[in-house]
Amino acid sequence: MKKFVRTLGAVAVTLALVACGSDNEGNDNQAGDGDDSAAAVETIRIGASAVPHQEILEAAEPILAERGIELDIVVFSDYILPNQELESGDLDANYFQTPGYLAQQISEYDYDFVSVGSVHAEPIGIYSQDYASLDELPEGAEIILSDSISDHGRILPIFEDAGLIELDVEEGELATIDNISSNPKNINFGSRQVEARMLAPSFESGEGDAVAINTNYALEGNVDIDQYGIAFESDDKLQGNLLVVRSEDENNEAIVTLLEVLQSEEIQQFIQERYNGAVIPLVD
């Protein structure tokens, strides 16, 4: 794919300008004034999760149009393809991942990617149909997790903060199940790990004693966050959802403009009003 495609103004406008330039009555200078409608439009092809990322990008489209930028939004239902297609050049950017996941992907696949900035945070939540708090979880409770190891580093501290487990992990590193050093209630974290997009269906079908669900998939799956969410990431541990590009495009003007709009007061207010605290504006 040719990156950042420029779409010229209508052919009819161009022909009209040429005709003015060749006018026999000495009106050559009139054509030189140009026409704003013929200005180049920058198109960014961006991969995103459906909720809330696609919705946030769509809210930004009218503002971007005023600044000469169009978005071609490609929606993905998983976390693997958006990075693969960014690497291949089929995308110019993606918007769905956290710093921990991006670092894990770069380490595993040697992607030459950078984050240009964060837009919002989605606290991972623990959801249960049977228990109203983490303290109520029974001995040997089964917790269904995402199969993404980077998510474990966000989920396990929720249980540690509640006093249910202890973690032995170096500062700055993401915890894994192997880092659990104390687990008095023998909570079962390892037996059920599913793709992140399947967490909401697992919850709806009543699997496990609790399910740790990424907020975007809870929203997409119409899980009642207020009714069933029994614990969430603390504010000091929130990770931003990033606008990510190939390193070569870090300073591309269109990308810089896109980030400015996504971090603008208007879009941040949209996030607050649309998601009522389930999605949190987070500008770095």
Side-chain angles (χ1 to χ4, degrees), residues 137-175:
L137 291 174
E139 178 83 15
E142 181 184 45
I143 312 300
I144 298 178
L145 305 179
S146 159
D147 62 2
S148 172
I149 300 301
S150 64
D151 281 347
H152 298 179
R154 300 171 60 192
I155 295 164
L156 294 173
I158 300 174
F159 289 85
E160 184 178 45
D161 289 345
L164 296 182
I165 64 172
E166 292 180 6
L167 297 170
D168 182 11
V169 60
E170 296 292 331
E171 185 176 355
E173 292 186 0
L174 291 175

Side-chain angles (χ1 to χ4, degrees), residues 186-209:
N186 295 311
I187 296 174
N188 185 347
F189 293 102
S191 63
R192 292 291 309 281
Q193 298 182 33
V194 302
E195 289 184 56
R197 65 185 178 88
M198 297 304 298
L199 292 166
S202 293
F203 170 78
E204 292 293 346
S205 64
E207 300 175 20
D209 293 292

Side-chain angles (χ1 to χ4, degrees), residues 73-92:
I73 304 169
V74 183
V75 178
F76 293 88
S77 62
D78 75 343
Y79 291 158
I80 303 300
L81 287 175
N83 279 336
Q84 291 179 346
E85 296 203 9
L86 179 59
E87 182 189 39
S88 71
D90 288 335
L91 296 174
D92 299 313

